[in-house]
Amino acid sequence: TTKDETPIIAKSGVPVVAEQRKIANADEYYCFVRERILTALCDLPKKEQGTAYLMLTIASDGQLENIEVEDARSSVSTEFKQIIIQTVSRLTPFPNFPSDIAKEKISIAIPATFSEP
């Protein structure tokens, strides 16, 4: 933040402070990624109702290795699935893994429910 505590916004639209923040443990990491994604998806136009089941694979350096919206369980259109994937892809990279995640990559499942206004 600046001296007047106004957040500096990065290209992804997320305050820089949040992007550079040190995450202490695995639980905090999962919550941070989930909240960051759901916050971004809340800003999408409310043109559809339904649920999208996202599956992400994230590398230890925070890079998004894979993202998909599960067809079998999701109830949003193919077009909206693509918008969701593009939106989440723009949020990367995520922070590096905290020290208690000793894996090279992790998978995270996130359900996102959409309703018309």
Side-chain angles (χ1 to χ4, degrees):
T1 60
T2 59
K3 287 184 180 182
D4 64 355
E5 295 303 315
T6 303
I8 300 168
I9 305 299
K11 184 169 63 175
S12 66
V14 177
V16 171
V17 172
E19 289 185 352
Q20 295 174 347
R21 158 184 164 188
K22 180 76 173 157
I23 295 176
N25 59 47
D27 288 339
E28 218 177 277
Y29 190 86
Y30 288 108
C31 287
F32 176 82
V33 170
R34 181 180 179 278
E35 291 304 314
R36 187 168 176 183
I37 289 170
L38 293 176
T39 298
L41 295 179
C42 282
D43 292 337
L44 292 177
K46 308 295 188 266
K47 295 181 180 178
E48 293 203 31
Q49 290 184 340
T51 301
Y53 290 88
L54 288 75
M55 180 58 78
L56 297 91
T57 302
I58 303 171
S60 61
D61 64 355
Q63 294 297 321
L64 183 64
E65 288 196 354
N66 187 47
I67 179 172
E68 61 184 61
V69 178
E70 295 180 9
D71 288 330
R73 297 186 344 165
S74 298
S75 58
V76 295
S77 71
T78 301
E79 178 184 333
F80 199 59
K81 289 175 190 174
Q82 289 305 311
I83 292 169
I84 291 167
I85 289 170
Q86 291 168 1
T87 300
V88 173
S89 295
R90 285 192 298 266
L91 298 175
T92 62
F94 296 107
N96 292 345
F97 290 174
S99 60
D100 67 336
I101 300 179
K103 300 177 181 180
E104 289 190 27
K105 57 179 127 179
I106 57 172
S107 294
I108 301 175
I110 301 173
T113 301
F114 302 89
S115 58
E116 293 183 72

